Amino acid sequence: MLLPLAPYALTLWAQRAGSGAHSLILDDLIFQPQTSAVVWRSISGLTNGAALTDDSSTGYSATSANYLESHSHQRLGGALEVAPGKISRLNFFMTTPDGMAPIDLCLSVAVKVRKRRRIL
């Protein structure tokens, strides 16, 4: 962002079917640039010990578990890019199949980068 956060206002809306008083608990809020972002939407979940592999340059995304490859997630977004000379950050946020994100939920991440080649 080129401007400081002070001039921005955040409005949070929630809706519930029942009447009466309700409360909303929010434990995670991340503001991040969206020029290069990807979301993997779960189709069948990721089993314990499985690996989700994503190749931004080809759009290939697959899950490997027990020597088998399957398609467990839908990839939404463009190619992830690391710009030379700029600070790059990778943020990962994972939820359980019921949409919860317990504090003890963990994942391992391996990032491999390849140089971009200019083709004329």
Side-chain angles (χ1 to χ4, degrees):
M1 297 178 70
L2 302 176
L3 301 173
L5 288 178
Y8 296 98
L10 174 66
T11 304
L12 184 63
W13 291 80
Q15 181 176 352
R16 182 160 176 157
S19 62
H22 303 289
S23 62
L24 176 67
I25 299 171
L26 184 68
D27 69 348
D28 186 59
L29 182 63
I30 300 173
F31 293 101
Q32 60 186 21
Q34 295 295 306
T35 56
S36 177
V38 173
V39 172
W40 292 277
R41 182 170 290 151
S42 176
I43 297 168
S44 60
L46 195 61
T47 60
N48 192 18
L52 176 63
T53 302
D54 181 75
D55 186 341
S56 291
S57 65
T58 63
Y60 170 82
S61 181
T63 302
S64 302
N66 299 322
Y67 305 102
L68 299 173
E69 191 172 279
S70 64
H71 187 72
S72 67
H73 289 71
Q74 177 185 11
R75 185 183 199 282
L76 305 169
L80 292 174
E81 298 176 348
V82 177
K86 293 186 178 181
I87 295 174
S88 296
R89 291 182 175 90
L90 291 174
N91 295 307
F92 294 90
F93 186 78
M94 185 172 67
T95 60
T96 61
D98 59 354
M100 301 302 289
I103 195 73
D104 61 342
L105 190 63
C106 64
L107 73 151
S108 297
V109 177
V111 178
K112 298 177 183 174
V113 180
R114 66 175 77 125
K115 288 185 177 182
R116 185 174 170 175
R117 303 285 185 201
R118 181 178 292 181
I119 300 173
L120 301 176

